[in-house]
Amino acid sequence: MLTFIALAMILVFILSLSMRKLNVFGALTIVPFVFGVIAALVKGKSVLDVFTWIKNGIFYTQNATTGKVSMGVISPAIIILFAVLFFGVMLYAGLFDPLSEFFIKKAKGDPLKVTLATVLVASVVTLNGDTTTTIIIVIAAFLSLWKQMNMKLIYLAIIVVTPIGIFNQLPWGGPTIAAATALDVEISTLFASILPGMLVAEVYAIFMAYWLGKKERKRLNFDPKTTAELHPEVLQEMLNAIRENEPEKKRPKLFWFNLGLTILVLTLLLMDVVHGSVLFMLGTAIALKVNYWDVPTAKGILDDLAPDALPPALATLAAGAFSGILGGSGMSAALATSIAGIIPSGLGAHMAPIYAIIAAPAITFLPQDAFYFGIASVLAGVMGQFGISPDQAAVASMVGQSFRLISPVIPALYMLCERTETNFVDFQKEYTKYAWPILFIYLIVHTVTGAMPL
């Protein structure tokens, strides 16, 4: 009976998001609460137990026998809150501007240099973890140049989203937060496991941009031996897209301080010396005080960043209701046992790569939270019965991120296609055509490093 209730809860959860009947926050709280009450009544438990399950999902639980403590979602929620604020402050202060301007100036009139500059600028800007911001800034900087040179705008769309899909897996990115929260693993551990694959994927993204640039050279009959230069007005227009993006908030004189602070925070984060939430909280406070000295200005910056920081943090906290009820009610264990019972024993040991491949379309066409909390969290329990650890299951669940950036449920992609005058379906086809190797890069690298069992 619990298996049936769990399946019904997951189905209603996914449909409520897919059909836009509830937002993420509502779906992660209302749906599990209703089904949690049903599960409590079926088990003969008090309805008040549902509130305990939610509390445990948000904060922590302790095994009465072993004494082991399992953290809830409070830790990743605080990390994502302060990480978004930290990188938002750095983006406003103009930390990434000099590098972006350098790449733009080096592009000149060579299609190959333009594609490489585009992918490098996108890779730098997307470090803040926000898809929409990256698309807005990069398209604003490069669209006029691509049009002037008569380059294929669909290539521009592909080159922009490829690094976004890779660097969305940084510790403050939505997918990593969702995977770590849903599967109850440490964000730092998960990130350390997937980082080698991300780096190799970024090398491929640069190679892909190089390849597309070579194709455009050939199509446009461009001779790299010529001394073609950008028209000064076009170059200035591109640079202005960077420089005039809220110029009153930029602090160019504090570039070296901001760079040093960012490197220090990221280094300590990767070394796991201090918890990420503490690092980003202190980093945000210091960055705000140094860059925006007076209190009203600093408050204004926080107010401006609130729409970016609050929704993912609230969704992460709300995920505690979902995971807490799914686990506390026994639905998760019942569902995992039922699925494990129908899997041939010879196939079970190889579930990680199989799951990683078949999960790619699921993570593409389902809302991210629907996938991680509705599917990945359950299948992690199934894989656990075949000796696959939660950390390894989390790594396998991230492989599908290679195709996440063609998802029809990401609104920013429609803006991208509109600006690049590209049909959305054509964009999906072209991205798949050129970016499919990233899926196998993740599979190979994760297997070689031991992050995911074969």
Side-chain angles (χ1 to χ4, degrees):
M1 187 63 179
L2 282 179
T3 299
F4 173 77
I5 296 174
L7 287 171
M9 183 179 84
I10 292 170
L11 180 61
V12 172
F13 172 70
I14 291 174
L15 288 177
S16 65
L17 286 176
S18 302
M19 299 175 66
R20 301 179 186 275
K21 298 299 182 181
L22 290 171
N23 58 27
V24 173
F25 180 76
L28 284 169
T29 51
I30 297 173
V31 173
F33 179 77
V34 171
F35 282 91
V37 170
I38 296 173
L41 295 175
V42 168
K43 293 181 65 177
K45 300 278 188 178
S46 169
V47 173
L48 295 178
D49 285 345
V50 178
F51 296 99
T52 300
W53 298 337
I54 293 175
K55 183 193 72 174
N56 293 342
I58 294 175
F59 295 101
Y60 68 91
T61 57
Q62 185 174 17
N63 188 297
T65 304
T66 64
K68 180 182 178 182
V69 174
S70 297
M71 292 300 298
V73 301
I74 189 70
S75 176
I78 297 175
I79 289 177
I80 194 171
L81 173 65
F82 287 113
V84 172
L85 289 176
F86 179 79
F87 282 97
V89 172
M90 291 304 175
L91 190 66
Y92 279 157
L95 174 64
F96 308 119
D97 290 1
L99 192 56
S100 298
E101 292 181 15
F102 171 80
F103 289 138
I104 290 172
K105 291 176 181 177
K106 289 295 182 182
K108 299 184 178 180
D110 184 345
L112 174 58
K113 291 181 179 180
V114 170
T115 57
L116 288 175
T118 303
V119 75
L120 291 173
V121 170
S123 299
V124 171
V125 176
T126 198
L127 291 177
N128 77 325
D130 184 71
T131 299
T132 303
T133 300
T134 302
I135 290 174
I136 290 173
I137 291 178
V138 179
I139 292 299
F142 283 96
L143 184 61
S144 61
L145 176 61
W146 280 66
K147 284 185 173 182
Q148 185 209 26
M149 295 178 61
N150 197 31
M151 295 175 66
K152 289 186 177 180
L153 297 184
I154 195 168
Y155 288 170
L156 172 60
I158 295 170
I159 289 173
V160 169
V161 301
T162 301
I164 296 176
I166 297 169
F167 290 110
N168 264 359
Q169 299 174 84
L170 289 166
W172 48 88
T176 308
I177 295 290
T181 304
L183 278 68
D184 191 24
V185 300
E186 286 292 331
I187 292 177
S188 58
T189 302
L190 174 58
F191 177 62
S193 298
I194 64 176
L195 180 58
M198 291 171 57
L199 295 177
V200 177
E202 172 64 8
V203 171
Y204 175 77
I206 296 172
F207 168 76
M208 184 188 72
Y210 174 85
W211 183 24
L212 294 176
K214 295 280 284 187
K215 287 168 64 73
E216 285 297 87
R217 266 185 177 179
K218 183 177 180 180
R219 185 180 69 86
L220 297 170
N221 296 315
F222 178 86
D223 182 1
K225 296 180 181 179
T226 62
T227 56
E229 295 283 346
L230 285 178
H231 192 283
E233 292 182 359
V234 176
L235 177 61
Q236 191 60 44
E237 182 179 347
M238 294 177 65
L239 294 175
N240 286 343
I242 302 292
R243 295 169 180 170
E244 295 181 2
N245 181 36
E246 300 186 280
E248 72 281 357
K249 296 177 182 176
K250 296 188 184 298
R251 299 293 186 268
K253 293 182 180 180
L254 293 171
F255 171 79
W256 291 109
F257 170 82
N258 290 329
L259 179 63
L261 179 61
T262 302
I263 292 175
L264 176 62
V265 169
L266 294 181
T267 300
L268 293 175
L269 179 71
L270 293 176
M271 293 175 63
D272 201 20
V273 175
V274 184
H275 194 273
S277 60
V278 176
L279 285 172
F280 285 120
M281 180 179 67
L282 291 173
T284 301
I286 294 170
L288 268 176
K289 186 59 181 176
V290 173
N291 287 276
Y292 307 102
W293 188 259
D294 59 293
V295 174
T297 303
K299 180 181 181 301
I301 293 294
L302 287 176
D303 290 342
D304 290 342
L305 290 173
D308 294 328
L310 286 179
L314 289 175
T316 304
L317 287 170
F322 191 99
S323 59
I325 290 174
L326 192 67
S329 65
M331 285 190 282
S332 179
L335 188 55
T337 301
S338 299
I339 296 174
I342 63 175
I343 297 175
S345 57
L347 186 63
H350 305 288
M351 270 198 68
I354 294 173
Y355 162 61
I357 293 174
I358 64 176
I363 203 169
T364 299
F365 293 100
L366 289 176
Q368 183 166 271
D369 294 284
F371 170 77
Y372 281 109
F373 292 98
I375 297 177
S377 59
V378 174
L379 288 180
V382 177
M383 288 189 279
Q385 299 187 36
F386 294 98
I388 300 171
S389 70
D391 289 330
Q392 293 171 329
V395 171
S397 74
M398 296 295 286
V399 170
Q401 288 296 327
S402 54
F403 284 94
R404 175 64 182 167
L405 263 293
I406 58 169
S407 173
V409 300
I410 300 179
L413 295 181
Y414 296 103
M415 174 185 65
L416 172 70
C417 289
E418 188 273 329
R419 295 295 308 278
T420 57
E421 303 169 13
T422 302
N423 178 273
F424 187 77
V425 175
D426 290 339
F427 161 71
Q428 290 179 312
K429 291 178 180 177
E430 287 294 295
Y431 178 89
T432 303
K433 176 181 176 182
Y434 291 106
W436 65 265
I438 295 179
L439 175 67
F440 294 96
I441 286 173
Y442 288 149
L443 286 173
I444 293 170
V445 176
H446 294 339
T447 301
V448 170
T449 60
M452 187 180 73
L454 184 60

